[in-house]
Amino acid sequence: NLGRVTAAVRVYIDKNGRVRDVRVRNIRSQGGGHEPFKTEFIRSIRNVLLNKTRVDGRPYVVNGEAKDIVWDTTISFTIN
C-alpha cells in the first residue's frame, strides 16, 4: 500500500513519432515507501513508454521539416 508514486521522465521522440528512449529523472512517494522497488518502477516505466506509447498526430515540424523532440513530463501511479 504505497499510495501515490510520481515519476519525472524525459521522453525522446524521433521525427517519425516513435519513442526512442526514456530517462527516469526522479521517483518520489510519501515517506519514500517506493525506495525498495525503485529499480522495478524504472524498468516498468521504461517498458510501458517504449513499447506502448505512440504519438498521436503529426510529428513536430519546423519550416516544413519534421524534428526530433524531448518531452519532460510526470507520471503518477496509485498503488493500493
Side-chain angles (χ1 to χ4, degrees):
N1 190 2
L2 294 177
R4 183 181 212 110
V5 177
T6 302
V9 296
R10 179 166 284 160
V11 183
Y12 296 85
I13 303 168
D14 73 13
K15 63 184 178 183
N16 297 312
R18 289 185 293 249
V19 176
R20 290 298 184 187
D21 196 13
V22 176
R23 305 280 170 91
V24 178
R25 298 181 335 220
N26 183 10
I27 299 176
R28 65 183 184 274
S29 65
Q30 180 121 12
H34 72 283
E35 285 293 334
F37 311 102
K38 188 172 181 176
T39 301
E40 288 85 355
F41 273 112
I42 291 171
R43 185 174 35 250
S44 295
I45 291 165
R46 286 182 45 79
N47 182 45
V48 168
L49 290 176
L50 285 167
N51 296 307
K52 302 294 182 183
T53 303
R54 303 289 179 262
V55 175
D56 190 20
R58 291 179 40 158
Y60 184 65
V61 177
V62 175
N63 297 326
E65 185 178 341
K67 301 285 184 181
D68 295 349
I69 63 171
V70 177
W71 178 36
D72 289 325
T73 191
T74 58
I75 300 169
S76 293
F77 305 87
T78 302
I79 312 294
N80 295 320

